[in-house]
Amino acid sequence: SDGSIHVWRLANGVELVDTLDRGDSDDECIHALALDDELLFAGLQNSDIEVWDLETCQRIRTLGGGATSALSLAVHAHCLYAGAADGSLRVWGGDLQPLGHIGGAGDSVLALVAASDDDLVIGGAGDGTITFWDVSAMAVALGDGARSSGLRIHTPGARRQYGRRMLQALDQWIRLRSVSGVPELQSECRRAARFLKDLMRQLGADDARLVSSTPGANPLVYGRFDAGDTRTLAERPTVFVYGHYDVMPAGDEALWRTQPFEMVGRDGYLYGRGVSDDKGPVLAALFAIAELAAAGKLPMTVVFCIEGEEEHGSVGLRETIAEHRALFGVPRLILLSLSYWLGEATPCLTYGMRGSVRANLRIESTRRADVHAGVWGGAVNEPLSCLAHVLAQLADPAGRVLVPGFHDGVRVVSAKEEAAMRDLVEWIADKEARAPLVARTAMSPTASGDLYGQLMQRWRFPSLTVHHMDVSTVAARTNTTLVPAAAQAALSVRVVPDQSLDDIAAKLRAHIEQVFADFKAQRHGDGGRAMLDDLRLHLDVRANAQWWLADPDTPVYQAAARAIRD
C-alpha cells in the first residue's frame, strides 16, 4: 500500500535483494504484480501498469491501463491480462502493444490466474463469481515442453493477430531515424538497437544483448534462439542471420510523397525508410524464427547478428564479431535478405555478388589559398582541371575501364552461365515487364533493349564509378571567379571472379599515379607554361569487400528455392 516494490530471492530462505526505485510514483498504491521471465508488471491504483526490467532494475515503460484501476494481473503466453474494476480484461501482447479488451465479469476482477495447460484465463470477481475467458484467438502461446518462452499461433485469427503485431513493430521501428554516420542521430540509432533487443526478448529469445568493440560505433544487436542442443555454444552448429538496423539518409524529404520515417501502405506496398532495407526483412526473419522455436520445430540454434553501421562501411563489425566469436557458435549457414528481386513480385536467391575497391584522391596546389582567376588564371596550376583529366583516363565513353591489366583476371562466361542468364531475361520479360519499376528502368523506351547485356553489366562484369567531386572551400564551389587550391574525388571499382582485390587496388593506384605524373610533365615540360606553383597528389586506395560466388546447385540453395516456391 506504500507504493514500494521489494525483490526477494527464495534460496536457502528468504533474502531481500533490492527495492525498486519508483521515484515520484512511489506514493501510488500497487494493487497487483505479475512476472514474465525478467519483466515485472505492477498494476497501480491510477490504472497504469509499470513494466520493470529485473535484470537492470529499471522501469522501462508504463502502460495505460484504462479508465479504472488494474486490480489484478496475469501473464499467459507472454500476453499480459489486467482485471479491471468494471469486470473487463485489458490485454497487451508480448511487444507491450495493446490488443484490446474482453468483457465478461459483472464485478471488479480481484484475482486472475492463467491455466498452464490451456488457453484459459480465470478471474475471480468481487461478487463471488468466477469467470473463464478463452484467449486462444489472441494468445501467442508457449512452446511445448522444453521451452519456457516463445510464440506459437493456434488459430487463423491468432495468426492474423501475430502478423498485425509484426507490422506494428515495424511501424514503431521505422519511426526511429537510425541513420548511421550522422553524429546528431547516434542516439536514435541506439534507441533502434535497444528496441530490437527488447523485441527479441519479448519474442522468447534465449539471449538478447547489445555488443560493441569499437568506441563511437553503433552497437550490434545479438539474439539467440536455442534448439535443445546440449553442447557448449562455442561448439554448437548454428544458423547465422545477418541484417542491419541503420538506414540511409532520406535526402530531400520534400520529394517524398509521404513522410520517410512513417510507415504508410499504398497500392499494396509499404513505404518508409528501412521497410525493405533492412528493418522489414530483419523482423520477418525474427518473427518466423520465434514462431518455429516456440512450436518446437527449430532444428538448430539460430543466432542473429544485426549491425548498425552497414550503410556507413560496417564500422566495427569485424572487430565486434571477432571479440565475441563464441556467441555465434559454428555457423553452418548464413542468411540475409537485403538484395535483389526480379522485378516487384518475384523473390530470388543471390548466389554471388561483386566485390569492391574504394579510392579517394586529392590534388592540391602548393599555394595554400584560392586565387582570383582574373588575376592569376594561366599562371597557376588548376587542381580541378588536373583531377578532371585524371578521372577521364580511368574509363572510356563506353564505360570500359582503362586501367592496364584490369580485365586480365575476369573469369570467362561459361555456356551454363549464359544459358541461365538468358532464361532469366525471358522470365523477366514474360512475368515482370509491366511492373512499374521494371517498366521505368530495364524495359523502358530509353533503355537499349538488350536486357541480357544490362544484367551482365550489373551482375557479372567489373565496373568503375566516380561518386563525387568537390573543391577545397565553400567559396570555390559558388564563386565563378576563383581558382580552387585543391580538388578531391571519391570512386569505387566493382570486381568479379577471378580478380584479386589487392591486385586491382595496386593497378588502380599505379595508373592514377602515372596519369598524374604525365599531366605534370606535359604541364611543366618543354613547351609548357611557367607556373608559379606545383601540384601534389594524395591517394588512398583500399580493398573494401571481396567478391563471392556460391554454387546454386547445393542442397542448401535447392532447399531455399523450394521454400520460396512453396
Side-chain angles (χ1 to χ4, degrees):
S1 61
D2 63 358
S4 60
I5 300 177
H6 303 289
V7 182
W8 287 275
R9 178 181 293 115
L10 304 179
N12 300 320
V14 180
E15 176 189 358
L16 180 63
V17 176
D18 205 345
T19 298
L20 303 184
D21 182 7
R22 299 187 58 236
D24 295 336
S25 303
D26 61 4
D27 59 348
E28 191 72 43
C29 180
I30 297 174
H31 283 172
L33 295 173
L35 190 64
D36 183 28
D37 289 338
E38 295 296 325
L39 291 183
L40 174 70
F41 301 96
L44 308 184
Q45 184 176 7
N46 67 0
S47 80
D48 287 342
I49 299 173
E50 294 181 346
V51 185
W52 289 80
D53 181 350
L54 292 182
E55 183 179 1
T56 61
C57 293
Q58 292 182 329
R59 180 171 49 200
I60 61 175
R61 194 157 178 184
T62 299
L63 308 177
T68 60
S69 302
L71 300 178
S72 54
L73 296 174
V75 175
H76 178 60
H78 295 282
C79 284
L80 173 66
Y81 296 85
D86 61 2
S88 67
L89 288 186
R90 286 170 175 78
V91 191
W92 290 263
D95 56 359
L96 304 183
Q97 293 302 302
L99 299 181
H101 69 277
I102 310 172
D107 203 348
S108 301
V109 183
L110 301 180
L112 281 176
V113 64
S116 60
D117 57 353
D118 205 349
D119 289 326
L120 290 176
V121 171
I122 306 167
D127 59 2
T129 60
I130 297 176
T131 303
F132 295 79
W133 286 278
D134 179 356
V135 296
S136 60
M138 67 171 58
V140 261
L142 292 173
D144 296 330
R147 293 187 59 82
S148 62
S149 60
L151 302 175
R152 183 174 64 194
I153 305 304
H154 289 284
T155 68
R159 183 173 292 277
R160 286 192 295 271
Q161 180 64 46
Y162 186 59
R164 286 196 292 270
R165 293 179 62 205
M166 183 175 69
L167 291 178
Q168 288 172 352
L170 180 58
D171 177 59
Q172 290 176 287
W173 211 18
I174 294 297
R175 294 175 185 274
L176 299 178
R177 298 172 175 255
S178 52
V179 179
S180 56
V182 179
E184 295 81 4
L185 294 176
Q186 190 169 34
S187 62
E188 286 285 281
C189 291
R190 297 194 71 86
R191 287 180 61 201
R194 289 194 296 269
F195 176 92
L196 180 60
K197 181 206 70 173
D198 292 342
L199 182 61
M200 287 177 172
R201 294 180 59 181
Q202 293 158 15
L203 291 177
D206 293 275
D207 190 4
R209 65 178 83 172
L210 304 184
V211 293
S212 179
S213 299
T214 304
N218 293 323
L220 180 152
V221 184
Y222 169 82
R224 190 184 79 249
F225 290 81
D226 290 334
D229 195 323
T230 58
R231 284 172 286 186
T232 64
L233 181 57
E235 301 172 330
R236 196 181 307 169
T238 59
V239 174
F240 184 106
V241 180
Y242 168 84
H244 62 94
Y245 61 85
D246 63 316
V247 298
M248 291 288 287
D252 186 356
E253 297 190 12
L255 299 178
W256 286 67
R257 292 179 59 183
T258 56
Q259 293 298 316
F261 293 98
E262 294 181 8
M263 191 174 76
V264 175
R266 187 173 69 246
D267 300 328
Y269 296 89
L270 293 176
Y271 295 87
R273 212 43 154 184
V275 164
S276 60
D277 184 14
D278 185 35
K279 292 179 178 179
V282 166
L283 289 193
L286 176 59
F287 274 74
I289 294 301
E291 183 179 353
L292 287 173
K297 296 180 179 179
L298 199 62
M300 184 182 295
T301 295
V302 177
V303 295
F304 284 81
C305 173
I306 313 300
E307 68 161 312
E309 295 280 357
E310 193 273 345
E311 304 289 7
H312 190 228
S314 291
V315 175
L317 177 63
R318 182 186 298 272
E319 294 80 4
T320 301
I321 290 179
E323 182 174 334
H324 300 275
R325 181 67 183 81
L327 290 177
F328 299 99
V330 183
R332 300 296 193 207
L333 175 67
I334 298 176
L335 292 177
L336 58 95
S337 178
L338 44 71
S339 191
Y340 298 106
W341 278 44
L342 301 182
E344 297 186 10
T346 309
C348 66
L349 292 172
T350 299
Y351 62 92
M353 294 192 75
R354 298 185 292 182
S356 67
V357 173
R358 292 183 176 179
N360 291 282
L361 58 155
R362 176 182 173 88
I363 298 174
E364 59 185 31
S365 167
T366 52
R367 56 185 166 83
R368 296 185 177 183
D370 304 336
V371 295
H372 197 287
V375 178
W376 299 100
V380 295
N381 282 288
E382 300 196 7
L384 185 57
S385 296
C386 180
L387 178 64
H389 174 81
V390 171
L391 296 177
Q393 306 307 308
L394 299 180
D396 65 19
R400 183 174 176 80
V401 179
L402 299 175
V403 175
F406 180 83
H407 299 275
D408 292 350
V410 177
R411 186 182 301 181
V412 176
V413 178
S414 67
K416 182 179 179 180
E417 276 187 285
E418 181 175 355
M421 185 64 75
R422 294 200 180 279
D423 288 345
L424 196 60
V425 168
E426 184 176 343
W427 171 276
I428 294 174
D430 181 46
K431 305 293 186 182
E432 294 281 358
R434 295 185 179 181
L437 179 61
V438 177
R440 290 196 305 267
T441 56
M443 305 293 286
S444 69
T446 57
S448 65
D450 180 13
L451 184 56
Y452 171 83
Q454 291 178 39
L455 295 182
M456 292 296 282
Q457 292 295 337
R458 289 173 55 191
W459 296 348
R460 180 58 176 82
F461 295 134
S463 64
L464 184 147
T465 300
V466 177
H467 300 294
H468 59 79
M469 297 172 62
D470 201 0
V471 290
S472 52
T473 63
V474 174
R477 294 188 198 114
T478 58
N479 193 323
T480 57
T481 66
L482 295 179
V483 180
Q488 53 269 342
L491 60 96
S492 69
V493 172
R494 302 292 164 168
V495 298
V496 300
D498 290 302
Q499 291 177 305
S500 161
L501 264 67
D502 291 338
D503 177 63
I504 293 301
K507 288 176 176 175
L508 178 62
R509 172 182 289 278
H511 182 63
I512 292 174
E513 290 175 342
Q514 186 61 54
V515 173
F516 175 74
D518 292 344
F519 179 91
K520 286 185 60 176
Q522 294 177 29
R523 188 81 164 171
H524 296 281
D526 294 340
R529 299 177 181 176
M531 294 293 165
L532 299 175
D533 59 346
D534 198 2
L535 293 175
R536 293 179 296 203
L537 171 67
H538 301 274
L539 180 60
D540 180 25
V541 182
R542 298 186 183 185
N544 181 57
Q546 178 65 278
W547 57 263
W548 66 275
L549 183 65
D551 183 358
D553 294 326
T554 58
V556 167
Y557 270 92
Q558 292 302 308
R562 289 192 299 271
I564 289 178
R565 285 195 296 267
D566 294 343

